[in-house]
Amino acid sequence: AAINNRRKYLDMYEAAVRDLITAGEITTLADEGDNVKKAAWTLFDAFTYAAIPSLTRIIEGSLGAYYNGLVDDSLDMTQPYDMSLVILEAIRINPPVFGVPRINAETGSRHMPLVGLSGYDPGVFGEDAREYRVRFDFTGYQETLLNWADAALPNGLPLSTNHVCPAKSFSFNTILSFLLALDPTQWTRAQVDGFVLTKNN
């Protein structure tokens, strides 16, 4: 059953990629040979095995900060902007991805910048860098966080050399949308040793 379900999803992904190629939304991939099939498998595996664990980890971290009183009372957990700051601090203090490996095609050597560790730099985030505290506005987080490998932008090189996480916008907006739909203010943490939430009356 699992194999059949996977095949159905892969067929859906292949059809979606072909539609985007036809619509001109994807211009770097030709619909020939196994190109579309390989792209579909890559996307499916990325969402299933990488995105889902990463997203749930940040959702748990954001909720944990809120229910443990680490989120400042001035932040409104029902507002997208304030919730974004809570999420970005959760990503900084508990990065879902520590390293972004790649292979240098010319030398065959493997490189793995540990971008996740950058969030603990006291020179950037203060002496309390190991503690959860919303410390910047949105622009401040954009300018300092490296967790999506933002510093890997090409410098005068072709865009294809870019090593920034391709799912940055997708991952962030998925987390934000889920937490806004959940509305943490409508729930109470009912158990100290875990996230067992009960709906407020």
Side-chain angles (χ1 to χ4, degrees):
I3 293 175
N4 288 336
N5 283 335
R6 177 183 170 85
R7 182 67 259 171
K8 288 178 186 175
Y9 278 110
L10 287 171
D11 289 343
M12 291 168 55
Y13 274 61
E14 286 184 41
V17 171
R18 285 195 169 91
D19 288 345
L20 290 171
I21 292 173
T22 301
E25 296 291 327
I26 295 178
T27 59
T28 56
L29 180 69
D31 187 359
E32 56 188 32
D34 288 334
N35 286 353
V36 171
K37 185 183 297 292
K38 289 177 181 178
W41 282 36
T42 301
L43 289 169
F44 178 80
D45 286 348
F47 291 149
T48 304
Y49 302 114
I52 292 174
S54 299
L55 299 183
T56 54
R57 183 170 174 180
I58 297 306
I59 289 169
E60 290 175 356
S62 301
L63 290 174
Y66 174 68
Y67 290 117
N68 282 288
L70 301 178
V71 175
D72 191 276
D73 290 339
S74 66
L75 296 175
D76 184 345
M77 293 291 280
T78 67
Q79 296 302 310
Y81 183 86
D82 289 357
M83 180 67 82
S84 295
L85 302 182
V86 171
I87 293 167
L88 289 169
E89 179 66 6
I91 290 169
R92 182 196 72 79
I93 198 70
N94 188 22
V97 179
F98 274 99
V100 184
R102 68 182 182 90
I103 302 294
N104 184 316
E106 293 180 3
T107 65
S109 59
R110 179 184 171 103
H111 298 265
M112 188 166 180
L114 299 177
V115 294
L117 294 178
S118 64
Y120 300 115
D121 184 348
V124 176
F125 299 101
E127 292 303 317
D128 64 344
R130 294 183 178 272
E131 299 175 16
Y132 183 100
R133 175 176 63 82
V134 174
R135 56 197 72 221
F136 297 123
D137 61 12
F138 195 84
T139 301
Y141 277 109
Q142 281 186 315
E143 292 175 350
T144 56
L145 281 187
L146 302 179
N147 294 80
W148 283 278
D150 283 354
L153 288 166
N155 183 15
L157 298 174
L159 191 60
S160 60
T161 64
N162 183 350
H163 296 290
V164 175
C165 174
K168 176 178 179 177
S169 179
F170 170 81
S171 60
F172 180 81
N173 285 293
T174 299
I175 296 166
L176 177 61
S177 298
F178 178 87
L179 288 174
L180 289 172
L182 175 71
D183 186 359
T185 65
Q186 299 299 306
W187 298 81
T188 301
R189 182 176 174 182
Q191 182 177 320
V192 174
D193 296 326
F195 291 111
V196 178
L197 306 179
T198 56
K199 188 76 171 173
N200 293 336
N201 293 331

